[in-house]
Amino acid sequence: MSSVVFKEVPIEEIYPLRHQVLRKGQPIDTCYYPEDSRQGVFHVAAIENDNIIGIASFYPEVHVAFDSKSSWRLRGMATSESARGLGIGRKLLEQGINECRKKGGDLLWCNARTSAAGFYRKLNFAIQGEVFNIENIGPHYVMYKKL
């Protein structure tokens, strides 16, 4: 993993892996989130040998369940199948959290697939509320971490 570079990238570089991992079998336009180009949003990628192997997007966004002055939302986080279990996701998240803190963030939240809840719990995220279903994607939890 020493040759992996973590950096902010333009949204266009995020779409291929987002589609491959999070929207497989669905049209590519399901990967275009309305918030992607909003002011303040940033996208982080893990790049190894010019290949993007991990991605995460961060949005300044309030969630009604949290009393936060400056909350951020994590969305579209994914690692390529070949890069799983190597700490890529953890490093992407750490970089994003550090940037959210620099921007005054006090809370990070996400809609986490239930299958990813263990990953987020290891990084000190907690579950808020009950499981809910996102159509064509599956069961999720709202998870959060105070910054």
Side-chain angles (χ1 to χ4, degrees), residues 8-145:
E8 285 188 43
V9 297
I11 184 57
E12 295 77 21
E13 294 183 27
I14 295 290
Y15 291 138
L17 188 60
R18 190 187 277 179
H19 185 241
Q20 176 190 347
V21 175
L22 300 176
R23 300 289 189 271
K24 193 173 189 167
Q26 297 183 34
I28 186 75
D29 64 359
T30 63
C31 295
Y32 306 154
Y33 306 156
E35 305 88 358
D36 280 336
S37 299
R38 199 170 64 198
Q39 177 101 18
V41 171
F42 64 98
H43 312 279
V44 181
I47 304 166
E48 182 178 49
N49 300 324
D50 295 325
N51 295 313
I52 292 182
I53 60 171
I55 55 171
S57 297
F58 297 85
Y59 309 85
E61 187 174 325
V62 180
H63 190 289
V64 296
F66 305 110
D67 181 25
S68 164
K69 291 185 172 90
S70 180
S71 60
W72 285 77
R73 179 180 182 183
L74 166 65
R75 192 159 187 211
M77 184 167 178
T79 54
S80 65
E81 204 170 310
S82 63
R84 292 194 191 132
L86 303 176
I88 301 294
R90 179 182 50 79
K91 283 216 178 255
L92 278 170
L93 197 50
E94 287 171 353
Q95 181 162 337
I97 286 170
N98 288 337
E99 189 61 29
C100 289
R101 282 183 180 133
K102 284 181 194 171
K103 295 175 184 285
D106 60 9
L107 183 125
L108 179 65
W109 67 275
C110 64
N111 290 333
R113 294 172 190 234
T114 55
S115 60
F119 165 78
Y120 291 107
R121 279 192 182 126
K122 284 183 201 169
L123 298 169
N124 300 314
F125 278 71
I127 293 173
Q128 169 68 35
E130 301 298 319
V131 173
F132 64 96
N133 192 59
I134 296 178
E135 189 175 344
N136 297 322
I137 301 171
H140 285 68
Y141 290 112
V142 171
M143 297 191 75
Y144 69 99
K145 175 182 178 113

